[in-house]
Coordinates of all heavy atoms in Angstrom, one line a residue:
M1 N 26.8 28.5 -13.0 CA 26.3 27.2 -12.7 C 24.7 27.3 -12.9 O 24.1 28.1 -12.3 CB 26.6 26.8 -11.3 CG 26.2 25.4 -10.9 SD 26.5 25.1 -9.1 CE 25.0 26.0 -8.5
S2 N 24.2 26.4 -13.7 CA 22.8 26.4 -13.9 C 22.2 25.1 -13.3 O 22.8 24.0 -13.3 CB 22.4 26.6 -15.3 OG 22.8 25.5 -16.1
I3 N 21.0 25.2 -12.9 CA 20.3 24.0 -12.4 C 19.4 23.4 -13.5 O 18.6 24.2 -14.1 CB 19.4 24.4 -11.2 CG1 20.2 25.2 -10.2 CG2 18.8 23.2 -10.5 CD1 19.3 26.0 -9.3
P4 N 19.5 22.1 -13.7 CA 18.6 21.5 -14.8 C 17.1 21.7 -14.4 O 16.7 21.5 -13.3 CB 19.0 20.0 -14.8 CG 20.2 19.9 -14.0 CD 20.3 21.1 -13.1
A5 N 16.4 22.1 -15.4 CA 14.9 22.3 -15.2 C 14.3 21.1 -14.6 O 13.4 21.2 -13.8 CB 14.3 22.7 -16.5
E6 N 14.8 20.0 -15.0 CA 14.2 18.7 -14.6 C 14.4 18.6 -13.1 O 13.5 18.1 -12.4 CB 15.1 17.6 -15.3 CG 14.5 16.3 -15.3 CD 15.5 15.3 -16.0 OE1 15.7 15.5 -17.2 OE2 16.1 14.5 -15.2
A7 N 15.6 19.0 -12.6 CA 15.8 18.9 -11.1 C 14.9 19.8 -10.4 O 14.4 19.5 -9.3 CB 17.3 19.2 -10.8
I8 N 14.6 21.0 -10.9 CA 13.7 21.9 -10.3 C 12.3 21.4 -10.2 O 11.6 21.4 -9.2 CB 13.7 23.3 -11.0 CG1 15.2 23.9 -11.0 CG2 12.7 24.3 -10.4 CD1 15.3 25.1 -11.8
E9 N 11.9 20.8 -11.4 CA 10.6 20.2 -11.5 C 10.4 19.1 -10.4 O 9.4 19.1 -9.7 CB 10.5 19.5 -12.9 CG 9.2 19.6 -13.6 CD 8.5 20.9 -13.4 OE1 9.0 22.0 -13.6 OE2 7.3 20.8 -12.9
R10 N 11.4 18.3 -10.3 CA 11.4 17.2 -9.3 C 11.3 17.7 -7.9 O 10.6 17.2 -7.1 CB 12.5 16.2 -9.5 CG 12.1 14.8 -9.6 CD 13.2 13.9 -9.9 NE 14.2 14.5 -10.8 CZ 15.5 14.2 -10.8 NH1 16.0 13.3 -10.0 NH2 16.3 14.8 -11.7
A11 N 12.1 18.7 -7.6 CA 12.1 19.3 -6.3 C 10.7 19.9 -6.0 O 10.3 19.8 -4.8 CB 13.2 20.4 -6.2
R12 N 10.1 20.5 -6.9 CA 8.8 21.1 -6.7 C 7.7 20.0 -6.4 O 6.7 20.3 -5.8 CB 8.3 21.9 -8.0 CG 9.0 23.2 -8.1 CD 8.1 24.2 -8.8 NE 8.8 25.5 -8.8 CZ 9.4 26.0 -9.9 NH1 9.3 25.3 -11.0 NH2 10.1 27.1 -9.8
D13 N 8.0 18.8 -7.0 CA 7.0 17.7 -6.8 C 7.3 16.9 -5.6 O 6.6 15.9 -5.3 CB 7.0 16.8 -8.0 CG 6.3 17.4 -9.2 OD1 5.6 18.4 -9.0 OD2 6.5 16.9 -10.4
A14 N 8.3 17.2 -4.9 CA 8.7 16.4 -3.7 C 7.5 16.4 -2.7 O 6.7 17.4 -2.6 CB 9.9 17.0 -3.0
N15 N 7.4 15.3 -2.0 CA 6.3 15.1 -1.0 C 6.6 16.0 0.2 O 7.5 15.7 1.0 CB 6.2 13.6 -0.7 CG 5.1 13.4 0.3 OD1 4.9 14.1 1.3 ND2 4.4 12.3 0.1
L16 N 5.8 17.0 0.4 CA 6.1 18.0 1.5 C 6.0 17.3 2.9 O 6.9 17.6 3.7 CB 5.0 19.0 1.5 CG 5.4 20.4 0.9 CD1 4.2 21.3 1.0 CD2 6.5 21.0 1.7
V17 N 5.1 16.4 3.0 CA 5.0 15.8 4.4 C 6.2 14.9 4.6 O 6.8 14.9 5.7 CB 3.7 14.9 4.4 CG1 3.7 14.0 5.6 CG2 2.5 15.8 4.4
G18 N 6.6 14.2 3.6 CA 7.8 13.4 3.7 C 9.1 14.2 4.0 O 9.9 13.9 4.8
V19 N 9.2 15.3 3.3 CA 10.3 16.2 3.5 C 10.3 16.8 4.9 O 11.3 16.8 5.6 CB 10.3 17.4 2.4 CG1 11.4 18.4 2.8 CG2 10.5 16.9 1.0
A20 N 9.2 17.2 5.4 CA 9.1 17.8 6.7 C 9.4 16.7 7.8 O 10.2 17.0 8.7 CB 7.6 18.3 7.0
Q21 N 9.0 15.5 7.5 CA 9.3 14.4 8.5 C 10.7 14.1 8.5 O 11.3 13.8 9.5 CB 8.4 13.2 8.2 CG 7.0 13.4 8.7 CD 6.0 12.3 8.2 OE1 6.3 11.6 7.3 NE2 4.9 12.1 9.0
Q22 N 11.3 14.1 7.3 CA 12.8 13.9 7.2 C 13.6 15.0 8.0 O 14.7 14.8 8.5 CB 13.2 13.9 5.8 CG 13.4 12.5 5.3 CD 13.7 12.4 3.8 OE1 14.0 13.5 3.2 NE2 13.7 11.3 3.2
C23 N 12.9 16.2 8.0 CA 13.6 17.3 8.7 C 13.3 17.2 10.2 O 13.6 18.2 11.0 CB 13.1 18.6 8.1 SG 13.7 18.9 6.4
G24 N 12.6 16.2 10.7 CA 12.3 16.0 12.1 C 11.1 16.7 12.6 O 10.9 16.8 13.8
V25 N 10.2 17.1 11.7 CA 8.9 17.7 12.1 C 7.9 16.6 12.5 O 7.7 15.7 11.7 CB 8.3 18.6 11.0 CG1 7.1 19.3 11.5 CG2 9.4 19.6 10.5
E26 N 7.3 16.8 13.6 CA 6.2 15.8 14.0 C 4.9 16.4 13.5 O 4.6 17.5 13.9 CB 6.2 15.7 15.5 CG 7.1 14.5 16.0 CD 6.9 14.3 17.5 OE1 5.7 14.1 17.9 OE2 7.9 14.3 18.2
L27 N 4.2 15.7 12.7 CA 3.0 16.2 12.1 C 1.8 15.4 12.6 O 1.8 14.2 12.8 CB 3.1 16.1 10.6 CG 4.2 16.9 9.9 CD1 4.4 16.5 8.5 CD2 3.8 18.4 10.0
K28 N 0.7 16.2 12.7 CA -0.5 15.6 13.1 C -1.5 15.9 12.0 O -1.5 17.0 11.4 CB -1.1 16.2 14.4 CG -0.6 15.6 15.6 CD -1.3 16.1 16.8 CE -1.0 17.6 17.1 NZ -1.4 18.1 18.3
Y29 N -2.3 14.9 11.6 CA -3.3 15.1 10.6 C -4.5 15.7 11.1 O -5.1 15.3 12.1 CB -3.6 13.7 9.9 CG -4.5 13.9 8.7 CD1 -4.0 14.6 7.6 CD2 -5.8 13.5 8.7 CE1 -4.9 14.8 6.5 CE2 -6.7 13.7 7.6 CZ -6.2 14.4 6.5 OH -7.0 14.6 5.4
G30 N -4.9 16.8 10.5 CA -6.1 17.5 11.0 C -7.2 17.4 9.9 O -7.1 16.6 9.0
A31 N -8.1 18.3 9.9 CA -9.2 18.2 8.9 C -8.8 18.9 7.7 O -7.7 19.6 7.6 CB -10.4 18.9 9.5
A32 N -9.6 18.8 6.6 CA -9.4 19.5 5.4 C -8.0 19.3 4.7 O -7.4 20.3 4.4 CB -9.7 21.0 5.6
H33 N -7.5 18.1 4.7 CA -6.2 17.8 4.0 C -5.0 18.5 4.6 O -4.1 18.8 4.0 CB -6.3 18.2 2.5 CG -7.5 17.6 1.8 ND1 -7.6 16.3 1.5 CD2 -8.6 18.3 1.4 CE1 -8.8 16.1 0.9 NE2 -9.4 17.3 0.9
K34 N -5.1 18.8 5.9 CA -4.0 19.5 6.5 C -3.3 18.8 7.6 O -3.9 18.1 8.4 CB -4.6 20.8 7.1 CG -4.6 22.0 6.1 CD -4.9 23.3 6.8 CE -5.1 24.4 5.7 NZ -5.8 25.5 6.2
F35 N -2.0 18.9 7.5 CA -1.1 18.4 8.6 C -0.6 19.6 9.3 O -0.3 20.6 8.7 CB 0.1 17.6 8.0 CG -0.2 16.2 7.6 CD1 -0.6 15.9 6.3 CD2 -0.1 15.2 8.5 CE1 -0.9 14.6 5.9 CE2 -0.3 13.9 8.2 CZ -0.7 13.6 6.9
T36 N -0.5 19.5 10.6 CA 0.1 20.6 11.4 C 1.2 20.1 12.3 O 1.2 18.9 12.7 CB -1.0 21.3 12.3 OG1 -1.6 20.3 13.1 CG2 -2.1 22.0 11.5
G37 N 2.1 21.0 12.6 CA 3.2 20.7 13.5 C 3.9 22.0 13.8 O 3.3 23.1 13.7
Q38 N 5.1 21.9 14.3 CA 5.8 23.1 14.7 C 7.0 23.4 13.7 O 7.7 22.5 13.4 CB 6.4 23.0 16.1 CG 6.9 24.4 16.6 CD 7.7 24.2 17.9 OE1 8.6 23.5 18.0 NE2 7.3 25.0 18.9
C39 N 7.1 24.6 13.2 CA 8.1 24.9 12.3 C 9.5 24.9 13.0 O 9.6 25.6 14.0 CB 7.9 26.3 11.7 SG 9.2 26.8 10.6
P40 N 10.4 24.1 12.6 CA 11.7 24.0 13.3 C 12.5 25.2 13.1 O 13.4 25.5 14.0 CB 12.4 22.8 12.6 CG 11.4 22.1 11.7 CD 10.3 23.1 11.4
A41 N 12.3 26.0 12.1 CA 13.1 27.2 11.9 C 12.6 28.4 12.8 O 13.5 29.0 13.4 CB 13.0 27.6 10.4
C42 N 11.3 28.6 12.9 CA 10.9 29.8 13.6 C 10.0 29.5 14.8 O 9.5 30.3 15.5 CB 10.3 30.8 12.7 SG 8.8 30.2 11.8
K43 N 9.8 28.1 15.0 CA 9.0 27.7 16.2 C 7.6 28.2 16.2 O 7.0 28.3 17.3 CB 9.7 28.0 17.5 CG 11.2 27.7 17.5 CD 11.4 26.2 17.6 CE 12.9 25.9 17.6 NZ 13.2 24.6 17.1
T44 N 7.0 28.5 15.1 CA 5.6 28.9 15.0 C 4.9 27.7 14.4 O 5.4 26.7 14.0 CB 5.4 30.1 14.2 OG1 5.7 29.9 12.8 CG2 6.2 31.3 14.7
R45 N 3.6 27.8 14.4 CA 2.7 26.7 13.9 C 2.9 26.5 12.4 O 2.9 27.5 11.6 CB 1.3 27.1 14.2 CG 0.3 26.0 14.0 CD -1.1 26.5 14.3 NE -2.0 26.2 13.2 CZ -2.8 25.2 13.2 NH1 -2.8 24.4 14.3 NH2 -3.6 24.9 12.2
L46 N 3.2 25.3 12.1 CA 3.4 24.9 10.7 C 2.2 24.2 10.2 O 1.7 23.3 10.9 CB 4.6 24.1 10.6 CG 5.0 23.4 9.2 CD1 5.5 24.5 8.3 CD2 6.0 22.3 9.4
S47 N 1.7 24.5 9.0 CA 0.6 23.8 8.4 C 0.9 23.4 7.0 O 1.5 24.2 6.2 CB -0.7 24.5 8.7 OG -1.2 25.0 7.5
I48 N 0.6 22.2 6.7 CA 0.8 21.7 5.3 C -0.5 21.2 4.7 O -1.2 20.4 5.3 CB 1.8 20.5 5.3 CG1 3.2 20.9 5.9 CG2 2.0 19.9 3.9 CD1 4.2 19.8 6.1
N49 N -0.8 21.8 3.6 CA -2.0 21.3 2.9 C -1.6 20.3 1.8 O -1.0 20.7 0.8 CB -2.7 22.6 2.3 CG -4.0 22.2 1.7 OD1 -4.2 21.2 1.1 ND2 -5.0 23.1 1.9
I50 N -2.0 19.1 2.0 CA -1.5 18.1 1.1 C -2.3 18.1 -0.2 O -1.9 17.5 -1.2 CB -1.6 16.6 1.6 CG1 -3.0 16.3 2.3 CG2 -0.5 16.4 2.7 CD1 -3.2 14.9 2.6
K51 N -3.4 18.8 -0.2 CA -4.2 18.9 -1.5 C -3.6 19.9 -2.4 O -3.5 19.7 -3.6 CB -5.6 19.3 -1.1 CG -6.6 19.0 -2.3 CD -8.0 19.2 -1.9 CE -8.9 18.8 -3.0 NZ -10.3 19.1 -2.7
T52 N -3.1 21.0 -1.9 CA -2.5 22.1 -2.7 C -1.0 21.9 -2.8 O -0.3 22.6 -3.6 CB -2.9 23.5 -2.2 OG1 -2.4 23.6 -0.8 CG2 -4.4 23.7 -2.2
G53 N -0.4 21.2 -1.8 CA 1.0 21.0 -1.8 C 1.7 22.3 -1.3 O 2.9 22.6 -1.7
V54 N 1.0 23.1 -0.5 CA 1.5 24.3 0.0 C 1.6 24.2 1.5 O 0.8 23.7 2.2 CB 0.6 25.5 -0.4 CG1 1.0 26.8 0.3 CG2 0.7 25.7 -1.9
W55 N 2.7 24.8 2.1 CA 2.9 24.8 3.5 C 2.9 26.3 4.0 O 3.2 27.2 3.2 CB 4.1 24.1 4.0 CG 5.4 24.8 3.5 CD1 5.9 24.7 2.2 CD2 6.1 25.8 4.1 NE1 7.0 25.5 2.1 CE2 7.2 26.2 3.3 CE3 6.1 26.4 5.4 CZ2 8.1 27.2 3.6 CZ3 7.0 27.4 5.8 CH2 8.0 27.7 4.9
S56 N 2.7 26.5 5.2 CA 2.9 27.9 5.8 C 3.2 27.8 7.2 O 2.7 27.0 8.0 CB 1.7 28.8 5.4 OG 0.6 28.4 6.1
C57 N 4.0 28.8 7.7 CA 4.2 29.0 9.1 C 4.0 30.5 9.3 O 3.5 31.2 8.3 CB 5.6 28.6 9.6 SG 6.9 29.5 8.9
E58 N 4.3 31.1 10.4 CA 4.0 32.5 10.6 C 5.0 33.4 9.9 O 4.8 34.6 9.7 CB 4.0 32.8 12.1 CG 2.6 32.4 12.7 CD 2.5 32.7 14.2 OE1 3.2 33.6 14.7 OE2 1.8 31.9 14.8
Q59 N 6.1 32.8 9.5 CA 7.1 33.7 8.8 C 7.3 33.4 7.3 O 7.9 34.2 6.6 CB 8.5 33.5 9.5 CG 8.5 34.2 10.9 CD 9.8 34.2 11.5 OE1 10.8 33.8 10.9 NE2 9.9 34.6 12.8
A60 N 6.9 32.2 6.9 CA 7.2 31.9 5.5 C 6.1 30.9 5.0 O 5.2 30.5 5.7 CB 8.6 31.3 5.4
G61 N 6.3 30.5 3.7 CA 5.4 29.5 3.2 C 5.8 29.3 1.7 O 6.7 29.9 1.2
G62 N 5.1 28.3 1.1 CA 5.4 27.9 -0.3 C 5.4 26.5 -0.5 O 4.6 25.8 0.1
G63 N 6.3 26.0 -1.4 CA 6.3 24.6 -1.7 C 7.5 23.9 -1.1 O 8.1 24.5 -0.2
P64 N 7.9 22.7 -1.5 CA 9.0 22.0 -0.9 C 10.4 22.8 -0.9 O 11.1 22.7 0.0 CB 9.1 20.7 -1.7 CG 7.8 20.6 -2.4 CD 7.3 21.9 -2.6
I65 N 10.6 23.5 -2.0 CA 11.9 24.2 -2.2 C 12.0 25.3 -1.1 O 12.9 25.5 -0.4 CB 12.0 24.8 -3.6 CG1 12.0 23.7 -4.6 CG2 13.3 25.7 -3.7 CD1 11.8 24.2 -6.1
E66 N 10.9 26.1 -1.0 CA 10.8 27.2 0.0 C 10.9 26.6 1.4 O 11.5 27.2 2.3 CB 9.6 28.0 -0.1 CG 9.5 28.9 -1.3 CD 9.1 28.1 -2.6 OE1 8.7 26.9 -2.5 OE2 9.1 28.7 -3.7
F67 N 10.4 25.4 1.6 CA 10.4 24.8 2.9 C 11.9 24.5 3.4 O 12.3 24.9 4.4 CB 9.6 23.5 2.9 CG 9.5 22.8 4.2 CD1 8.7 23.3 5.2 CD2 10.3 21.7 4.6 CE1 8.6 22.7 6.5 CE2 10.2 21.1 5.8 CZ 9.3 21.6 6.7
V68 N 12.6 23.9 2.5 CA 14.0 23.5 2.8 C 14.8 24.8 2.9 O 15.7 24.9 3.8 CB 14.6 22.6 1.7 CG1 16.1 22.3 1.9 CG2 13.8 21.3 1.6
Q69 N 14.5 25.8 2.1 CA 15.3 27.1 2.2 C 15.0 27.7 3.6 O 15.9 28.2 4.2 CB 14.8 28.1 1.1 CG 15.3 27.7 -0.3 CD 15.0 28.9 -1.3 OE1 13.9 28.9 -1.8 NE2 15.9 29.7 -1.5
H70 N 13.8 27.7 4.0 CA 13.4 28.3 5.3 C 14.0 27.6 6.4 O 14.6 28.2 7.3 CB 11.9 28.4 5.4 CG 11.4 28.9 6.7 ND1 11.7 30.2 7.1 CD2 10.5 28.4 7.6 CE1 11.1 30.4 8.3 NE2 10.3 29.4 8.6
L71 N 14.0 26.3 6.4 CA 14.5 25.5 7.5 C 16.0 25.6 7.6 O 16.5 25.6 8.7 CB 14.1 24.0 7.3 CG 13.0 23.5 8.2 CD1 11.7 24.3 7.9 CD2 12.7 22.1 8.0
D72 N 16.7 25.5 6.5 CA 18.1 25.4 6.6 C 18.8 26.8 6.3 O 20.0 26.8 6.2 CB 18.6 24.4 5.6 CG 18.2 23.0 6.0 OD1 17.7 22.8 7.1 OD2 18.3 22.0 5.2
S73 N 18.0 27.8 6.0 CA 18.6 29.1 5.6 C 19.6 28.9 4.5 O 20.7 29.4 4.6 CB 19.3 29.8 6.8 OG 18.4 30.0 7.8
I74 N 19.1 28.3 3.4 CA 20.0 28.1 2.3 C 19.4 28.7 1.0 O 18.2 29.0 1.0 CB 20.3 26.5 2.0 CG1 19.0 25.8 1.9 CG2 21.2 26.0 3.2 CD1 19.2 24.3 1.7
G75 N 20.2 28.8 0.0 CA 19.7 29.3 -1.2 C 19.0 28.3 -2.1 O 18.9 27.2 -1.8
F76 N 18.4 28.9 -3.2 CA 17.6 28.1 -4.1 C 18.3 26.8 -4.6 O 17.8 25.7 -4.5 CB 17.2 29.0 -5.2 CG 16.2 28.3 -6.2 CD1 14.9 28.2 -5.8 CD2 16.6 27.9 -7.4 CE1 14.0 27.6 -6.7 CE2 15.7 27.3 -8.3 CZ 14.4 27.1 -7.9
A77 N 19.5 27.0 -5.2 CA 20.3 25.9 -5.8 C 20.6 24.8 -4.7 O 20.5 23.7 -5.0 CB 21.6 26.5 -6.4
E78 N 20.9 25.3 -3.5 CA 21.3 24.3 -2.5 C 20.0 23.5 -2.1 O 20.1 22.3 -1.8 CB 21.9 25.0 -1.3 CG 22.9 24.2 -0.6 CD 23.5 25.0 0.6 OE1 23.7 26.2 0.4 OE2 23.8 24.3 1.6
A79 N 18.9 24.2 -2.0 CA 17.7 23.5 -1.7 C 17.3 22.5 -2.7 O 16.9 21.4 -2.4 CB 16.5 24.6 -1.6
I80 N 17.5 22.8 -4.0 CA 17.2 21.8 -5.1 C 18.1 20.6 -4.9 O 17.7 19.5 -5.0 CB 17.6 22.4 -6.5 CG1 16.7 23.7 -6.7 CG2 17.3 21.4 -7.6 CD1 15.3 23.5 -7.0
R81 N 19.4 20.8 -4.6 CA 20.3 19.7 -4.4 C 19.9 18.9 -3.2 O 20.0 17.7 -3.2 CB 21.7 20.3 -4.2 CG 22.7 19.6 -5.1 CD 24.1 20.2 -5.0 NE 24.0 21.7 -5.4 CZ 24.7 22.6 -4.8 NH1 25.4 22.4 -3.7 NH2 24.6 23.9 -5.2
K82 N 19.5 19.5 -2.1 CA 19.1 18.8 -0.9 C 17.9 17.9 -1.2 O 17.8 16.8 -0.8 CB 18.8 19.8 0.2 CG 18.8 19.1 1.5 CD 18.8 20.0 2.7 CE 18.4 19.1 3.9 NZ 18.8 19.5 5.1
L83 N 16.9 18.5 -1.9 CA 15.7 17.7 -2.2 C 16.0 16.6 -3.2 O 15.4 15.5 -3.1 CB 14.6 18.7 -2.8 CG 13.9 19.6 -1.8 CD1 13.2 20.7 -2.5 CD2 13.0 18.8 -0.9
A84 N 16.9 16.8 -4.1 CA 17.3 15.7 -5.0 C 18.0 14.6 -4.2 O 17.7 13.4 -4.4 CB 18.3 16.2 -6.0
G85 N 18.7 15.0 -3.2 CA 19.4 14.0 -2.3 C 18.3 13.2 -1.5 O 18.5 12.0 -1.3
A86 N 17.2 13.8 -1.1 CA 16.2 13.2 -0.4 C 15.5 12.1 -1.2 O 14.9 11.2 -0.7 CB 15.2 14.2 0.1
H87 N 15.6 12.3 -2.6 CA 15.0 11.3 -3.5 C 16.0 10.1 -3.7 O 15.6 9.2 -4.4 CB 14.7 11.9 -4.8 CG 13.4 12.7 -4.8 ND1 12.2 12.2 -4.7 CD2 13.2 14.1 -4.8 CE1 11.3 13.1 -4.7 NE2 11.9 14.3 -4.7
G88 N 17.2 10.3 -3.2 CA 18.2 9.2 -3.4 C 18.9 9.3 -4.7 O 19.5 8.3 -5.1
D89 N 18.8 10.4 -5.4 CA 19.6 10.4 -6.7 C 20.4 11.7 -6.8 O 20.4 12.4 -7.8 CB 18.6 10.3 -7.9 CG 17.5 11.3 -7.8 OD1 17.5 12.2 -6.9 OD2 16.5 11.2 -8.6
A90 N 21.0 12.1 -5.7 CA 21.7 13.4 -5.7 C 22.9 13.4 -6.7 O 23.6 12.6 -6.8 CB 22.3 13.5 -4.3
Ligands
ZN101 ZN1 8.9 29.0 10.0

């Protein structure tokens, strides 16, 4: 089973703040393009940089795909599918 490159591309471009909010994370806007909240997976401080599109908590970090993987403890393919669903075109 292969994942279309297009789907991966789209998942990478997903809006991190939107994805986090859909996952129930309460975010506060801070300085320097950063949103902060609590990571639902490991309960440590979560920070999202909207300028770079990168997030990090104390245990993990990355882009939207890694975010969904970390939160749901799922694999890469499943994360892509979940993000595609969030766009409404699963
Ligand atoms: Zn975490």
Side-chain angles (χ1 to χ4, degrees):
M1 187 188 78
S2 67
I3 309 160
E6 199 185 292
I8 297 171
E9 216 36 56
R10 228 173 328 148
R12 281 210 180 104
D13 285 346
N15 181 319
L16 256 181
V17 169
V19 171
Q21 283 171 337
Q22 258 174 14
C23 293
V25 183
E26 271 185 53
L27 294 167
K28 271 188 294 193
Y29 186 67
H33 310 286
K34 274 187 184 160
F35 278 93
T36 56
Q38 192 191 53
C39 174
C42 60
K43 313 289 180 206
T44 64
R45 193 180 128 96
L46 172 73
S47 110
I48 296 174
N49 186 321
I50 50 168
K51 200 171 182 187
T52 58
V54 170
W55 66 275
S56 66
C57 65
E58 282 177 26
Q59 289 186 7
I65 300 169
E66 289 81 8
F67 185 75
V68 176
Q69 284 189 279
H70 179 54
L71 255 62
D72 294 349
S73 302
I74 53 178
F76 185 76
E78 211 177 325
I80 301 288
R81 229 172 302 138
K82 195 170 166 153
L83 284 166
H87 283 288
D89 54 9

